[in-house]
Amino acid sequence: MPASSHINSTERCFKYLSQDDWVTSGKIGSREAVLVFRTNILNPKTRKTLLLTPTEERELKTADSQVTLSTPNELIVKCSSSPAISNTQQNYSSRGKLYVAVEKSLKCKEIINFDRRNPIRKTLDAFSSSDASVSSDGDETVQYNEKKSRKPQKSKNSSIIEIEVNLNKESGYDSPSAASQSNTEINTSEEDHEGFSEEDNECGINMPAHHLKITYKFIQTETKLLRKIFNVHGLTEVQGDSNFNLLWTGVHMKLDTLRNLSLYQRVNHFPRSYELTRKDRLYKNIERMQHLRGMKHFDIVPQSFILPLESRDLIFAHNKQRGPWIVKPAASSRGRGIFIVKSPDQIPQDEQVLVSKYIVDPLCIDGHKCDLRVYVLVTSFDPLIIYLYEEGIVRLATVRYDRNADNLWNPCMHLCNYSINKYHSDYIRSSDAQDEDVGHKWTLSALLRHLKLQGCDTHLLMLNIEDLIIKAVLACAQTIISACRMFVPNVNNCFELYGFDILIDNTLKPWLLEVNLSPSMGVDSPLDTKVKACLVTDLLTCVGIPAYTPEMRTHYDSKSSRLRSSSCQRQIDTTESSTTLRSTKSKKKPVIPLTQEEQRILRSARLQYTRRGGFVRIFPTDDTMQRYGNFLDPANGIPISTPNVQGQTFQALVNQHNYNQMLHSNLFCMGQRSSKDDNSQENRIKQYERALETDSEIPFLKKQIVEKCEEEGRRLRKQMLKKIGSGSTLTHFQARQTFSLYLESVLRRLTQDPKDSHEKIIIKFLTKYGGGVKPPVLFRNSQNISKARSAMVAKLLGDFLELYKRDTESYIDSFDHFGMIPTNAYSLFLMHAQESDLEAVLTHHTNITGIMPFLYNRCGLSVPPTPPIPSGLHGFLRALPAMVSSFGVSREVSKYDGYFKSCDKNCENVHDISLRSRSTRDSK
Ligand code: ADP
């Protein structure tokens, strides 16, 4: 079937949905057409207006009243249901910016037709050149910017204008979303704020992605927000070996998966990304650049050593300039296993760790240390295309910063990780998406505004952050490019969102701490939800999920596989003239036509740029060649990071195309650029400083809390105890489920109402279960650190629970077995059970059966005898340490947490060491 017929049949599917709203960069079926993702569809209120059926739309029209927003300059705005305008102008912003036709004869009072399906938002788009702009700040409510870069179909006397209305309630004007709400009488019940509803999954059926049968697949990733975004946009989840359009994995890609990717498929990692995302690899790559290019260019990471290999170098460095040093496992995250020491002799030698100079003078907000998480999108390594997301997250430590070395043990003062600080009882979460500088999580833009008010040079700070990002990517790019050439068949198959962790010192110099593979998309507050939902939707639109039907996929795929070389290497048309290579050699730039491959790359880069949403392109920009050209191979434009490869080995691997040069010349040097560069430094900085705004509130994906019925819990508990008494047993899965729910209740208590004795029990249990390590010294220390201690115990228990729950998934069993407690009845019990109910069942089951399926699977050789568990409140908790063999079967906890590590005979606890060496010194 020819592609065009698929296109027509696909188009017919969209009876009432304007595909222009959800597909961009071409008509459905064209090679470059991709899906559009927006946050406004996440909100059930706006979703309803976005996805009206024709009948509903007609009904709405009759009920539609004119909504008049009387603004200070008396602009009257009328909402209408007409989609006509949006059809004349493609709307790329995932946050639903609106383009409307406005009669040129606008004087004092004008009527502007809104497309109801595109709720409007307050924003200052730094990338748009504003002709008639009324500031959204202050008194004015409406601002409109003419987007010159786009080519709207204008009627004779109308111009395409982007209307941005201040939705700020404080302004006293009705927000359009409020207006549409009153028109459509949309239910605003609590349910709107729940994470998931059936409707979320169902609403996607109206979307082009659903008709195009676009699928996604997850592998080992935390998925709530992502899944919701995919589902409401009409993507369908697939599992196993099924074909996918988008693969989102939390781990590195298998090379085989990469090799077999088709033209239409997208995956969220590049091969060998670990060059950037493993702490030790990143440091080595940057260190190599320091040697090759000079320290002054690559002084972007704290001096670091990989132990035990570089122990002597560390001691040498320490003797030159004394510590403290921060010790991190080479491949871990979320603050796990990190500790700070005053000198290298306090570092255990049994595991490979990265030891970095501790930055003792960090930037503090109101006395609290903070660090930044910024989001960096790389859509291509050759040519290099890097975007920095306009908004980032600032994480603050809960305890006020104090340089005194005696406080080095305190993670809630020295580490800014949310996963540590969230357990501290003083940790404050903002409860409103608009509160960007409240509590212990701020936005980047709020920090910049705060610093600016204090007279800091935020412009320079952000330029330095851009520079740091580009240099880190350049340092690691070479290996990734050669892997892409070997394993990735099509140029657009891979993209990657990296989470850069950056510490700013008190001179405002940014330091790169690490780069995270698969940065967390978990959300803990409305603010988090707003930033991450905008980030993900902008990311997906920018990257571009091809809007092909399955038939079109086959069509394009067979075309591309005809082109593809017989090997798995990416097709590069070497028969065509290597124009850019020649153009770099000659001083004058001859106008030589681009090769087909170059044209494709250029076109794709341009289209991608128009879809960038909140992403700011930081490479290439008009001055990147001038600033970073020296780090690129002059012939092929590949970043060079190994001296022996320069001009030799690597050139043999790649074809002589200089895509970086080609892209730069065509985007910036050949008269293509408009006089007003929308990606200029000034505009980029403005964009970082402005607050992220959305056209409609994004529901906070709260955990669904099932209302427990205490009485029902007690009734079911009696039933379960009776069953156990008469010989039924819990399956492994049921036992583990009960135990993790029980520990969750304990964890909740520890964070809300810490109890010293219970903390000690938990530590004892985790210590033994983790392989016989002694409790770290901080737990035996003075009383005034109790809040931090509680936070650490809770963090350890939280980490343990996470691993435990993951393990429990492998026990999933929904069959009813003979002699076992029936699945459905038990699930009901778990739904209503309180801590005491769970404890009663666990106690009874252990005492009667003499087995502990929540801890052991009976295959273990060292299962200890079950202790007699006293009945009564917390009896089970008190018996818990005795249930664990001191030669425990799992070292999970100690493996993942440094505070917990290294304290048995072979391996001394670092804090013990520090304490002992202190006391030895004291006794001397
Ligand atoms: P993780 O991957 O476990 O989050 P990071 O490298 O991001 O590890 O470090 C965790 C925390 O430790 C950071 O939030 C930061 O506050 C602190 N930190 C890390 N390295 C340094 C350093 N060299 N100097 C000062 N603080 C640091």
Side-chain angles (χ1 to χ4, degrees):
M1 208 194 293
S4 60
S5 61
H6 306 311
I7 298 161
N8 292 340
S9 66
T10 314
E11 277 184 338
R12 278 196 298 275
C13 295
F14 303 104
K15 292 192 199 90
Y16 44 82
L17 197 71
S18 164
Q19 55 159 283
D20 286 348
D21 289 346
W22 301 103
V23 175
T24 186
S25 295
K27 267 189 141 342
I28 284 189
S30 68
R31 210 185 162 98
E32 280 147 345
V34 296
L35 300 176
V36 171
F37 291 79
R38 293 201 179 90
T39 55
N40 49 13
I41 198 171
L42 293 172
N43 186 326
K45 289 178 224 161
T46 39
R47 183 156 70 218
K48 287 199 176 161
T49 52
L50 285 165
L51 303 172
L52 293 175
T53 64
T55 334
E56 285 168 341
E57 201 166 0
R58 260 196 312 278
E59 279 168 12
L60 196 68
K61 256 186 196 168
T62 50
D64 200 12
S65 60
Q66 285 194 352
V67 179
T68 304
L69 303 182
S70 181
T71 66
N73 53 345
E74 291 192 279
L75 205 67
I76 294 176
V77 181
K78 183 184 88 173
C79 288
S80 101
S81 314
S82 167
I85 299 153
S86 70
N87 289 340
T88 63
Q89 173 68 39
Q90 292 208 353
N91 174 6
Y92 304 128
S93 168
S94 64
R95 273 166 263 143
K97 262 182 247 163
L98 176 68
Y99 301 91
V100 292
V102 177
E103 296 296 302
K104 269 247 171 94
S105 56
L106 272 174
K107 283 183 189 143
C108 291
K109 287 190 171 188
E110 291 299 338
I111 295 186
I112 302 168
N113 287 321
F114 282 158
D115 177 355
R116 289 184 56 85
R117 294 184 298 181
N118 285 294
I120 33 192
R121 70 170 180 134
K122 166 201 160 195
T123 180
L124 169 65
D125 191 339
F127 283 172
S128 58
S129 48
S130 163
D131 266 4
S133 158
V134 186
S135 164
S136 64
D137 300 328
D139 296 338
E140 314 287 4
T141 1
V142 176
Q143 61 166 13
Y144 43 100
N145 303 316
E146 189 169 332
K147 287 263 180 176
K148 286 194 171 150
S149 57
R150 307 181 186 207
K151 292 191 191 111
Q153 299 157 21
K154 295 179 189 176
S155 72
K156 245 185 182 176
N157 58 351
S158 69
S159 58
I160 298 296
I161 290 176
E162 181 187 350
I163 297 283
E164 295 167 334
V165 174
N166 189 345
L167 302 183
N168 195 343
K169 286 181 196 129
E170 284 163 30
S171 66
Y173 305 118
D174 285 346
S175 74
S177 54
S180 53
Q181 191 184 326
S182 64
N183 286 337
T184 51
E185 291 179 320
I186 288 163
N187 176 13
T188 55
S189 69
E190 263 302 299
E191 185 202 38
D192 292 348
H193 298 277
E194 291 297 347
F196 295 99
S197 65
E198 271 306 299
E199 205 240 340
D200 283 344
N201 292 334
E202 282 167 14
C203 74
I205 59 172
N206 286 332
M207 305 294 283
H210 183 80
H211 296 291
L212 294 168
K213 299 189 171 56
I214 308 278
T215 56
Y216 69 94
K217 185 158 130 184
F218 283 133
I219 301 178
Q220 287 191 37
T221 184
E222 152 213 287
T223 52
K224 268 186 192 164
L225 179 67
L226 286 170
R227 179 169 279 129
K228 178 159 177 139
I229 289 175
F230 292 148
N231 289 351
V232 296
H233 283 86
L235 282 79
T236 312
E237 186 171 3
V238 289
Q239 274 155 3
D241 291 336
S242 311
N243 236 349
F244 57 83
N245 293 69
L246 173 65
L247 174 63
W248 195 284
T249 124
V251 289
H252 291 288
M253 297 286 309
K254 280 190 191 141
L255 294 180
D256 250 9
T257 314
L258 281 172
R259 272 198 199 101
N260 294 314
L261 288 173
S262 299
L263 194 70
Y264 65 90
Q265 291 181 304
R266 299 284 178 270
V267 294
N268 70 330
H269 293 294
F270 284 95
R272 296 200 189 137
S273 250
Y274 54 79
E275 292 291 340
L276 257 166
T277 58
R278 260 192 72 117
K279 292 184 174 78
D280 50 350
R281 294 301 311 146
L282 174 71
Y283 185 74
K284 280 288 142 202
N285 286 326
I286 291 175
E287 191 186 43
R288 214 175 32 234
M289 292 302 258
Q290 291 173 344
H291 292 308
L292 195 66
R293 302 290 174 190
M295 186 67 182
K296 71 170 189 234
H297 293 300
F298 280 84
D299 187 19
I300 55 172
V301 283
Q303 185 185 24
S304 302
F305 301 91
I306 295 169
L307 261 53
L309 205 71
E310 298 171 340
S311 301
R312 287 166 67 100
D313 299 335
L314 170 63
I315 292 165
F316 185 71
H318 180 72
N319 290 337
K320 235 168 122 186
Q321 197 189 9
R322 304 248 133 196
W325 300 91
I326 182 162
V327 185
K328 310 174 188 180
S332 88
S333 60
R334 298 198 284 163
R336 278 183 292 215
I338 297 186
F339 53 93
I340 304 162
V341 293
K342 277 191 275 184
S343 82
D345 60 356
Q346 296 171 319
I347 304 168
Q349 300 284 318
D350 65 331
E351 196 188 334
Q352 182 162 310
V353 287
L354 184 80
V355 180
S356 303
K357 187 101 196 116
Y358 188 69
I359 293 163
V360 284
D361 293 311
L363 172 74
C364 289
I365 304 178
D366 297 334
H368 293 254
K369 177 176 172 176
C370 66
D371 70 8
L372 303 183
R373 159 64 56 86
V374 294
Y375 298 96
V376 174
L377 168 65
V378 178
T379 55
S380 159
F381 273 89
D382 183 26
L384 189 57
I385 303 182
I386 312 176
Y387 299 87
L388 169 59
Y389 199 59
E390 61 180 331
E391 194 57 286
I393 306 256
V394 183
R395 302 168 304 186
L396 279 78
T398 333
V399 177
R400 281 179 81 85
Y401 189 73
D402 182 349
R403 274 192 62 154
N404 189 327
D406 288 345
N407 294 315
L408 288 178
W409 65 268
N410 192 340
C412 295
M413 177 190 288
H414 291 277
L415 312 185
C416 304
N417 302 75
Y418 168 69
S419 48
I420 293 175
N421 285 281
K422 69 177 175 184
Y423 292 116
H424 198 286
S425 51
D426 293 344
Y427 187 85
I428 298 167
R429 279 180 190 82
S430 78
S431 56
D432 187 329
Q434 305 303 322
D435 292 342
E436 301 194 6
D437 54 358
V438 172
H440 294 98
K441 211 181 244 191
W442 287 26
T443 58
L444 169 64
S445 59
L447 174 73
L448 294 175
R449 294 192 296 272
H450 169 85
L451 292 175
K452 208 170 181 180
L453 273 178
Q454 297 189 333
C456 299
D457 188 348
T458 48
H459 188 114
L460 183 65
L461 170 65
M462 284 315 295
L463 289 185
N464 285 338
I465 288 177
E466 286 185 353
D467 180 66
L468 170 152
I469 293 166
I470 294 169
K471 283 176 174 162
V473 174
L474 288 175
C476 306
Q478 188 178 311
T479 321
I480 300 175
I481 292 171
S482 58
C484 286
R485 289 193 178 269
M486 270 190 277
F487 306 114
V488 185
N490 303 290
V491 76
N492 285 327
N493 281 146
C494 300
F495 66 92
E496 187 139 2
L497 182 73
Y498 299 103
F500 275 60
D501 285 351
I502 293 170
L503 186 80
I504 303 169
D505 69 19
N506 63 357
T507 68
L508 284 196
K509 177 177 166 51
W511 295 93
L512 178 59
L513 299 182
E514 68 156 341
V515 179
N516 286 276
L517 174 96
S518 306
S520 163
M521 287 301 140
V523 289
D524 77 311
S525 66
L527 181 65
D528 230 13
T529 311
K530 181 171 83 173
V531 173
K532 287 173 183 166
C534 290
L535 171 74
V536 173
T537 48
D538 284 352
L539 167 88
L540 294 168
T541 310
C542 181
V543 163
I545 313 295
Y548 302 168
T549 58
E551 295 84 2
M552 283 146 56
R553 279 171 225 159
T554 324
H555 171 80
Y556 284 128
D557 229 30
S558 60
K559 236 171 129 181
S560 86
S561 55
R562 278 203 302 276
L563 280 170
R564 221 181 281 166
S565 60
S566 52
S567 81
C568 62
Q569 290 196 4
R570 186 186 299 164
Q571 166 67 25
I572 291 171
D573 194 350
T574 45
T575 56
E576 291 178 73
S577 60
S578 184
T579 55
T580 47
L581 175 64
R582 275 187 274 131
S583 71
T584 50
K585 281 179 183 164
S586 61
K587 290 238 159 101
K588 270 191 197 166
K589 288 193 177 83
V591 187
I592 304 170
L594 299 177
T595 65
Q596 268 184 19
E597 181 73 4
E598 286 168 339
Q599 282 174 26
R600 261 199 299 275
I601 289 173
L602 179 61
R603 192 170 156 66
S604 160
R606 283 205 173 114
L607 284 173
Q608 194 177 75
Y609 186 70
T610 65
R611 304 190 301 256
R612 71 198 179 280
F615 281 99
V616 178
R617 196 173 66 199
I618 59 170
F619 196 107
T621 64
D622 59 347
D623 65 350
T624 41
M625 270 302 169
Q626 196 188 331
R627 290 159 66 95
Y628 305 102
N630 280 348
F631 307 141
L632 308 179
D633 185 303
N636 57 31
I638 305 285
I640 310 163
S641 51
T642 39
N644 56 340
V645 164
Q646 193 167 8
Q648 302 160 28
T649 339
F650 197 64
Q651 284 198 12
L653 287 176
V654 298
N655 290 288
Q656 296 296 294
H657 289 260
N658 192 332
Y659 292 141
N660 280 322
Q661 184 61 52
M662 180 278 296
L663 204 55
H664 188 268
S665 320
N666 284 278
L667 293 178
F668 304 109
C669 302
M670 292 166 57
Q672 309 266 344
R673 195 159 51 106
S674 67
S675 51
K676 286 181 189 170
D677 178 9
D678 59 4
N679 201 30
S680 66
Q681 269 186 19
E682 282 66 33
N683 281 338
R684 298 204 302 271
I685 305 302
K686 265 190 215 156
Q687 195 172 353
Y688 300 132
E689 284 174 0
R690 77 185 188 186
L692 194 64
E693 294 291 344
T694 54
D695 47 19
S696 54
E697 200 181 311
I698 302 169
F700 170 41
L701 307 178
K702 270 194 291 190
K703 266 191 193 163
Q704 242 171 349
I705 297 167
V706 181
E707 191 84 353
K708 287 191 181 204
C709 173
E710 219 178 309
E711 220 173 283
E712 183 68 354
R714 267 202 302 273
R715 190 184 68 79
L716 291 165
R717 158 183 161 175
K718 267 189 203 150
Q719 245 182 42
M720 294 307 131
L721 293 179
K722 209 167 151 195
K723 278 189 195 300
I724 293 167
S726 56
S728 295
T729 49
L730 295 174
T731 62
H732 266 93
F733 183 55
Q734 287 168 338
R736 290 182 70 101
Q737 268 184 311
T738 319
F739 189 55
S740 56
L741 282 175
Y742 173 70
L743 288 185
E744 256 175 37
S745 309
V746 174
L747 177 61
R748 242 188 328 271
R749 271 198 299 108
L750 288 185
T751 45
Q752 285 162 8
D753 178 22
K755 207 171 180 182
D756 195 47
S757 60
H758 288 187
E759 282 168 12
K760 283 187 179 137
I761 292 170
I762 291 297
I763 284 303
K764 221 169 173 179
F765 164 68
L766 292 177
T767 307
K768 288 176 95 182
Y769 200 67
V773 290
K774 275 190 252 163
V777 70
L778 81 96
F779 299 116
R780 295 189 240 124
N781 228 328
S782 62
Q783 284 134 22
N784 58 358
I785 58 163
S786 63
K787 279 182 178 176
R789 186 184 71 168
S790 303
M792 279 315 297
V793 179
K795 151 96 170 75
L796 291 176
L797 184 55
D799 284 352
F800 170 79
L801 257 170
E802 202 186 298
L803 292 169
Y804 186 82
K805 281 192 214 159
R806 206 180 302 155
D807 282 354
T808 300
E809 279 169 27
S810 62
Y811 290 87
I812 289 180
D813 181 1
S814 50
F815 289 105
D816 283 337
H817 300 274
F818 180 73
M820 302 291 210
I821 295 191
T823 313
N824 285 345
Y826 200 71
S827 301
L828 197 65
F829 162 68
L830 290 181
M831 214 161 94
H832 292 288
Q834 315 271 336
E835 185 182 334
S836 55
D837 303 321
L838 299 164
E839 182 170 8
V841 166
L842 285 169
T843 302
H844 196 53
H845 190 268
T846 313
N847 282 341
I848 287 206
T849 61
I851 53 166
M852 298 173 282
F854 44 90
L855 289 179
Y856 304 99
N857 60 13
R858 287 200 235 199
C859 306
L861 296 173
S862 54
V863 177
T866 42
I869 300 171
S871 55
L873 196 64
H874 307 316
F876 184 80
L877 189 67
R878 274 182 276 129
L880 198 54
M883 293 182 210
V884 189
S885 151
S886 42
F887 309 101
V889 285
S890 162
R891 291 189 61 90
E892 278 158 5
V893 173
S894 69
K895 203 163 87 194
Y896 285 98
D897 208 294
Y899 280 91
F900 213 60
K901 267 190 74 58
S902 59
C903 203
D904 54 14
K905 278 178 198 140
N906 307 322
C907 180
E908 293 280 3
N909 176 283
V910 283
H911 300 282
D912 264 333
I913 301 170
S914 63
L915 187 81
R916 213 169 305 127
S917 51
R918 218 181 304 147
S919 58
T920 324
R921 264 199 312 276
D922 291 348
S923 63
K924 275 178 189 169

